[in-house]
Amino acid sequence: MTQEKSFNLLSFSPKMKILHFSWIAFFITFFVWFNHAPLLGMIAESLGLTKSEIKTLLILNVALTIPARIIIGMLTDKYGPRITYAALLFLASIPCFAFALSSNFAEAAISRFLLGFIGAGFVVGIRMVSEWFPANELGTAEGVYGGWGNFGSAAAAMSLPTLALIFGGDDGWRYAVALSGLFSLIFSFIWYKNVTDTPKGSTYFKPKRIGGLEVTSKADFLFLLIMKIPLYAALSLLTWKLSPAGVSILSDTAALSIYVILAAIFIYDCYSAYSVNKDIFHTPVPEVQRYAFKQVAVLNVLYFATFGSELAVVSMLPLFFSDVFALDMVYAGLLASAYAFMNLMSRPGGGWISDRFGRKKTLLILTAGLAGGYAVMSTIDNSWPLALAVMAAMACSFFVQAGEGAVFAVVPLIKRRLTGQIAGMTGAYGNVGAVFYLTVLSMVDYSTFFSVIAATAVLGFVTLLFLKEPKGHMAEVNEDGSVELIQVN
């Protein structure tokens, strides 16, 4: 681990250089991932899309991200963040260009579906940052990475419509979208040329096998299989929303085929997990090399409630303000952007608080605040002063985003060689949360929607009681068989 002591964002020392390159890479992935959102009106007019087709594009944009985060986590642990992030940025530019060139709904839908893969880029930087920062700075560093990178979606919303107008004409949106793909393509080379997976002299620990998350006990293996179920349930829910029961894009036969395919993939996934972990059924893992999978499960639940609710609320908040307070959509969108804008400080703040005052204590406080914040938002109606409603949303967003930072202050401290896969699973649960909450929103009123999020936050608070504060060291085995102890507090 790097021996640099200071954490100075204005520095360009080796570890700070890695942090800045990492959040810029993440920023670009989110900029590209959400490059369609602020341009939907222009895109719909240009391609002649119906409201149903627009909703379908929004669903397709997040569909692939759930399995993508799992896959990218595995590839990151196996091949390292340098190669993985470069490849992702390079390859994702292709469907981005394809979306810019699309001439009909089918072409736009396919390219939008494939672009969901870039939403997995977040996972790569989590492992990269964990390699370069010591435990006492890791929460802050991961918070800066997550918060500043996540701002890419807000930056797209603020800049792309203006770029489309500057380019002008019916094709202005195409040039704006293509430009974001060009950023991704160029930065893939910049990233590859300027970063290394670890500080000089440090070992990059890799999983023993690729194909599934390693666990260290039979009970944890069963727990792992159970925690896979919500991932496939979310994909099934997305399929249902595309079926005749939802927006009627898929036929009943096509939807049934997808359900069967998902079931087959789930069975294969479980078998693959067994293949990776079969040794634990006859040879116990040495105590020093064990980790508790319940730590991962708790973080999954917390990220479901934090990032899942953020994705859902960012999607609906402009409409919420517009409906409740009878505002113009442009003005409502401007007010709602304050929720996402908080990411710049809230997520790094959550990581910093974790570094200073303890991981578990911080998560307990922030999760309680999260539950309370959404409970308050469930009471907002048109009798509230508008300014107070906006302040309530911003206060709630602090707990949401600081909670995200606190979650990923713990993720890299569980098992170093599996950090990518753990981050991938936890990140995927965030997307599962978004799918769940947005489905709930389609069935209930705003007050009930916020109440449901508050209830899941309470569930997260209860599961936190089973989280063990990272202390002492985690053990990793070098290629020569020697054991290296990595400090976690």
Side-chain angles (χ1 to χ4, degrees), residues 4 9 27 37 62 125 132 141 150 160 168 186 191 211 251 363-364 387 393 404 412 433 436 455:
E4 299 169 52
L9 284 171
F27 179 97
V62 299
W132 281 85
N150 203 22
L160 288 178
I186 292 172
W191 168 268
S251 66
L363 281 167
L364 283 167
E404 294 164 10
F436 172 77

Side-chain angles (χ1 to χ4, degrees), residues 37-38 40-41 58 313-337 446:
L40 275 176
L58 295 176
V313 172
V314 165
S315 301
M316 58 73 69
L317 205 56
L319 190 61
F320 171 74
F321 280 132
S322 176
D323 288 349
V324 173
F325 295 99
L327 302 176
D328 173 77
M329 272 301 292
V330 174
Y331 184 45
L334 183 64
L335 292 176
S337 68
Y446 292 126

Side-chain angles (χ1 to χ4, degrees), residues 15 233 236 256 284 310 340 368 438 442:
K15 69 177 181 182
S236 298
L256 180 60
E310 181 185 353
L438 287 172
S442 69

